[in-house]
Amino acid sequence: MRFTEILNSYDQDRLRSAFEACDGYNRTTLTRWLEGTIPQRGDFIRRLASELDDPDLYDAWEEAKRGGAAGSVSGLVKSFERLSAADRDAAFHAIRERYVTDEKPRRQDVTYDVTVTDPPTTCDDVLLLRVEYSWTGDLPADAWCQWVTDEMRLSQAYAEPTCLWREIVDLDRNDLPRLFEQLADEQVLAYNEAGARDPKPIEHRATVDDDGIARFDNAAIDLAQITLSMSYPIPRGTPLFIIKLGEYAVPGPARATLTLDSRIAGRPRAFSFLAPGRRREWVVHQLRPNRLVTSLGTAATVLGEGDGFVLSWTVGDPATATTSLDRRPTEREPAAE
C-alpha cells in the first residue's frame, strides 16, 4: 500500500521527530502505521504531511482510506452471500425499506385481467375490452383514466401523474360519447387501505365525459390494495392489446390474464417486449383454448419503463378460431432482448 511505503521511505529519525511535533499519538502508534495499519484521523495526517513537507503523504492516506472502504464493502457482500436464501431475502427487504427512497410511485403485486367480448348492445363495428388492473401501492387524489384517438393526447395523458390509465382507441372521436354511454357505471376504482378495519373495499364509480375521461373522486392514499376496472370499445378487427409498464419500478413478477369470448375470437397468444439489454423470465400458461395466463419477471427482478406484454387473439369465424388451438397446456417463450 502506497501510504505504508511512503512512511517507510523516510529517514526514521526525521519521521519520528515530525510525528512527535504533531503531538497526537504515542510512538507505538507510529510503529503500527509502519507495519501497515491505516490511521483514522485525517487532520493528524495533514499536519504530519506539512511537517514532512510532503503533500503526497496525505494523498496516499486518502487512497488507502478509499481502498479500506471498498474492502469493507466487499467483506459485507461476501458475508451476505454466505447467508441462507431466506436470510438474504429478509436482509434485502429490511435494507430496502430502511434506506431506499424513490420519489416515483412504486407498485407491486401488479396484475392485469383482460377480457375480449361483445358490447352489451348490438354494435357490429366494435368489440368490448374489459380490463381489471390491480396493484399494491399508492393512489393519487382525484385519479382519472382517459381514452384518446390520437398520439398527441396520449402523450399528454402519460405526462399526468394522476392519470392511472391511458389508452388510444382507433375510433372516431365523435363516436366515443355514444359508445361509452352504453357502458355507464363500468369504470370503477376500488381499494382497501392498508390497516383499515373494514375489509370491504371502498368503491368510486365514474362516467366517461365527451373528452374520453373518467374521473374518480378519491382521496390520496400512501398504501392500499387497488383495483381499477374499466370497460371500453375497440374496433372489431383489433388483433392485440399492449400493456406497457409506467415510469416507475415494479418488483416482479407482473402477471396478465387474457380471456376471450369464444363466440367471437380465439387463439389467445402472448409476447413480451423488454427494455434493451434486460433479460427477464417469461412464462405463458395456456389454461383453456380461450384463456391464458402469462408472467413477466421473478421475485428477484425489478421491471421498469420499457417492459411489458403484448396479448393477441384472432377475430373471425368462432369455429375456425377455437378448433385451431392445439398448443400444450404449458409453454415457455424466450424473452425478447
Side-chain angles (χ1 to χ4, degrees):
M1 192 171 295
R2 196 163 75 93
F3 176 77
T4 304
E5 291 174 357
I6 292 176
L7 280 182
N8 281 283
S9 70
Y10 296 124
D11 176 83
Q12 295 302 293
D13 289 337
R14 181 185 173 215
L15 176 60
R16 286 190 175 86
S17 176
F19 182 84
E20 290 169 358
C22 294
D23 191 24
Y25 290 99
N26 58 42
R27 286 195 172 191
T28 58
T29 301
L30 178 58
T31 301
R32 291 198 300 272
W33 293 356
L34 289 167
E35 293 172 351
T37 301
I38 303 303
Q40 298 298 314
R41 288 175 50 189
D43 59 332
F44 184 88
I45 300 302
R46 193 186 297 276
R47 292 200 306 273
L48 181 60
S50 178
E51 284 287 334
L52 293 167
D53 193 24
D54 186 359
D56 282 350
L57 179 65
Y58 185 78
D59 293 341
W61 173 81
E62 284 194 317
E63 290 176 10
K65 287 293 290 181
R66 286 195 295 269
S72 297
V73 171
S74 176
L76 285 173
V77 171
K78 289 179 180 177
S79 297
F80 180 81
E81 291 174 344
R82 285 195 292 268
L83 296 174
S84 67
D87 287 343
R88 283 199 304 269
D89 188 60
F92 174 78
H93 286 291
I95 291 170
R96 186 173 66 182
E97 289 179 4
R98 184 166 181 176
Y99 297 107
V100 177
T101 59
D102 188 354
E103 294 181 356
K104 295 181 180 179
R106 293 183 61 88
R107 299 180 183 179
Q108 54 188 354
D109 306 322
V110 172
T111 63
Y112 305 87
D113 194 341
V114 181
T115 301
V116 181
T117 186
D118 265 330
T121 58
T122 303
C123 189
D124 294 336
D125 55 348
V126 300
L127 295 173
L128 182 67
L129 199 66
R130 285 197 170 97
V131 180
E132 283 195 0
Y133 169 35
S134 301
W135 73 93
T136 300
D138 67 340
L139 179 66
D142 302 321
W144 53 286
C145 311
Q146 185 171 17
W147 293 271
V148 300
T149 56
D150 60 76
E151 294 286 347
M152 184 183 71
R153 290 174 182 268
L154 184 68
S155 297
Q156 292 171 345
Y158 262 106
E160 295 291 339
T162 55
C163 185
L164 299 179
W165 189 271
R166 72 290 293 167
E167 183 73 20
I168 189 167
V169 289
D170 189 17
L171 296 169
D172 189 322
R173 185 183 175 192
N174 296 322
D175 288 339
L176 289 184
R178 173 181 61 85
L179 294 169
F180 272 109
E181 187 178 358
Q182 303 174 13
L183 306 171
D185 296 330
E186 291 206 29
Q187 323 309 326
V188 182
L189 177 64
Y191 53 86
N192 284 99
E193 189 170 3
R197 294 183 178 180
D198 188 353
K200 184 178 180 181
I202 298 173
E203 289 190 356
H204 295 271
R205 294 180 181 273
T207 55
V208 181
D209 63 21
D210 290 350
D211 291 323
I213 298 175
R215 300 186 185 277
F216 300 100
D217 184 20
N218 65 283
I221 297 174
D222 290 331
L223 182 61
Q225 292 178 325
I226 304 160
T227 298
L228 176 62
S229 301
M230 302 161 286
S231 296
Y232 53 96
I234 58 174
R236 196 167 191 86
T238 301
L240 55 82
F241 177 63
I242 298 175
I243 299 171
K244 180 182 177 183
L245 299 179
E247 297 180 355
Y248 42 79
V250 174
R255 294 183 174 87
T257 300
L258 173 62
T259 304
L260 304 175
D261 184 335
S262 58
R263 298 170 299 173
I264 58 172
R267 299 198 66 215
R269 298 176 297 281
F271 310 94
S272 70
F273 60 93
L274 304 169
R278 299 175 68 184
R279 298 177 63 88
R280 296 288 183 265
E281 186 177 0
W282 171 244
V283 181
V284 179
H285 298 286
Q286 185 87 40
L287 301 183
R288 294 196 298 271
N290 67 330
R291 188 167 186 261
L292 63 77
V293 176
T294 178
S295 64
L296 185 64
T298 68
T301 59
V302 177
L303 306 168
E305 184 181 9
D307 296 337
F309 304 94
V310 179
L311 306 178
S312 73
W313 55 85
T314 298
V315 179
D317 179 8
T320 302
T322 54
T323 57
S324 64
L325 276 168
D326 57 359
R327 299 170 72 179
R328 293 180 179 275
T330 302
E331 68 175 50
R332 292 179 179 267
E333 299 185 10
E337 288 294 336

